[in-house]
Amino acid sequence: MPALYAGMGYRVVEMDGTIWRSAGRLALVSEPSGAVHRGAVSGIRAMLRRERRLAAIFCTGQPSGKTVAHFSLTASRSAAAVVQRQFAQNLKRAAAHGTVRPLDWREWHALALGCDRASLRRHGTIAAPCLEEEGRRRLAEKAARDPTLVLYGYVTRGGEIAAYLLCRISDGLCQGLFMHWDDALAELRPTHLLYHEARKALLARPDVALLRIGRQALPANPGLDRFKRHAGFETTPCHVGVLVHPLAAPLLESRATAWLLGLVRRRLAPRFPALAALEVLECAAPTRRALRSAGTLRS
């Protein structure tokens, strides 16, 4: 898992049984999405100091001041899952131009570079080991030796991979790790059919009882959240916590600062969308209070 995230261009840190990956230049986020971090506050603070990051974003087992939706579906409810009508129309469009099937890592190595290049560029990454031949080959060889990793791809009639979904299966849980797609082929609606067919295939496996495809982002991405709901996935509560660098904690973990950041975001984010990211720092104050009160993180 750490090698996988590093190969995709993320800075990776392992601590207290949790994998942390970079999220932009200022934050670290725990992976896989939804996994509960049970380490100490002091450990997170030390990690932020070492990595020179402002904030750590993670999931907790108790209310933390911020609750978001976690998208998942159980095997028992998969057959009854209903997709939204427009989503179903896009399924027909996608099915007319390609199919969804399992991929092996040789195919990923040879045919999915366009998906990775486009997806990483959307996240602001233009250089990553998986975008270079040698790094891509090493990552494919290492991933092929991990029996818990499963790849599904949308393959066009012409043999191109327009999108792929990478999952990890362990102890009955199938966790979606990456969904990458090629912008040049997006008009085929490959992700619609990929989610739909991969969901059915994965939840039909005897070793999968629950499929998770991630939690709401912070700040939220309404379009992506709507897409997952329309695909038939259900939501459960996920408690998200944010802790900040020890030098910034006295300021950013105060109620007054949280109130001020919220005021700035609500008033100015419609005109300056980048300010929506202030919601992350707003969560620092309620997280510290809630986790200290609940005793879920050791001080």
Side-chain angles (χ1 to χ4, degrees):
M1 287 281 285
L4 180 63
Y5 285 103
M8 291 294 181
Y10 295 103
R11 169 65 179 159
V12 179
V13 180
E14 291 184 84
M15 186 187 68
D16 292 334
T18 298
I19 296 171
W20 299 83
R21 66 157 176 87
S22 55
R25 290 176 293 180
L26 297 178
L28 294 168
V29 61
S30 64
E31 293 287 355
S33 176
V36 174
H37 177 70
R38 295 184 173 86
V41 168
S42 58
I44 296 176
R45 304 275 199 218
M47 176 184 68
L48 291 171
R49 188 188 292 273
R50 288 193 307 271
E51 298 298 317
R52 297 181 180 181
R53 302 277 173 160
L54 178 60
I57 308 166
F58 54 96
C59 293
T60 76
Q62 299 291 334
S64 59
K66 183 67 177 181
T67 300
V68 301
H70 199 179
F71 296 92
S72 62
L73 196 63
T74 62
S76 61
R77 293 184 61 85
S78 179
V82 177
V83 301
Q84 186 256 6
R85 185 171 61 179
Q86 185 177 4
F87 192 96
Q89 292 171 346
N90 283 317
L91 290 179
K92 294 179 181 179
R93 176 181 178 84
H97 297 279
T99 58
V100 172
R101 61 172 175 81
L103 301 176
D104 62 40
W105 284 95
R106 288 174 299 180
E107 291 178 296
W108 173 85
H109 178 198
L111 301 174
L113 179 60
C115 295
D116 293 323
R117 184 175 286 129
S119 295
L120 294 181
R121 185 172 57 244
R122 286 193 296 271
H123 291 286
T125 300
I126 58 174
C130 73
L131 300 181
E132 303 293 336
E133 174 57 29
E134 182 60 23
R136 193 168 187 82
R137 180 188 61 78
R138 287 198 304 267
L139 181 57
E141 290 176 351
K142 191 160 191 173
R145 295 193 294 268
D146 187 342
T148 69
L149 296 178
V150 179
L151 268 174
Y152 275 84
Y154 175 98
V155 184
T156 69
R157 303 298 185 198
E160 299 173 283
I161 296 178
Y164 73 83
L165 173 65
L166 173 60
C167 299
R168 180 175 183 268
I169 299 174
S170 179
D171 299 325
L173 170 64
C174 181
Q175 177 72 55
L177 302 179
F178 295 106
M179 168 75 92
H180 284 183
W181 68 90
D182 189 343
D183 292 334
L185 298 169
E187 65 178 18
L188 303 181
R189 302 295 188 264
T191 55
H192 289 73
L193 193 64
L194 181 54
Y195 258 137
H196 185 69
E197 295 297 322
R199 167 177 66 80
K200 293 192 297 183
L202 289 166
L203 288 172
R205 293 175 54 130
D207 57 343
V208 175
L210 176 66
L211 171 61
R212 287 180 175 170
I213 56 168
R215 61 167 174 80
Q216 279 181 301
L218 192 65
N221 181 336
L224 179 59
D225 297 339
R226 184 168 55 252
F227 178 87
K228 293 177 179 179
R229 289 191 178 94
H230 288 179
F233 286 92
E234 300 174 343
T235 60
T236 54
C238 179
H239 307 300
V240 177
V242 175
L243 291 174
V244 297
H245 191 285
L247 295 180
L251 173 64
L252 293 179
E253 292 181 1
S254 74
R255 294 176 189 242
T257 299
W259 176 85
L260 180 60
L261 290 173
L263 180 65
V264 171
R265 176 178 59 85
R266 289 189 295 273
R267 290 192 174 182
L268 298 182
R271 294 177 56 196
F272 305 99
L275 292 178
L278 290 176
E279 186 177 2
V280 173
L281 299 180
E282 287 176 57
C283 292
T287 292
R288 184 63 175 138
R289 292 195 305 272
L291 297 183
R292 174 178 286 173
S293 175
T296 55
L297 291 185
R298 302 183 300 279
S299 299

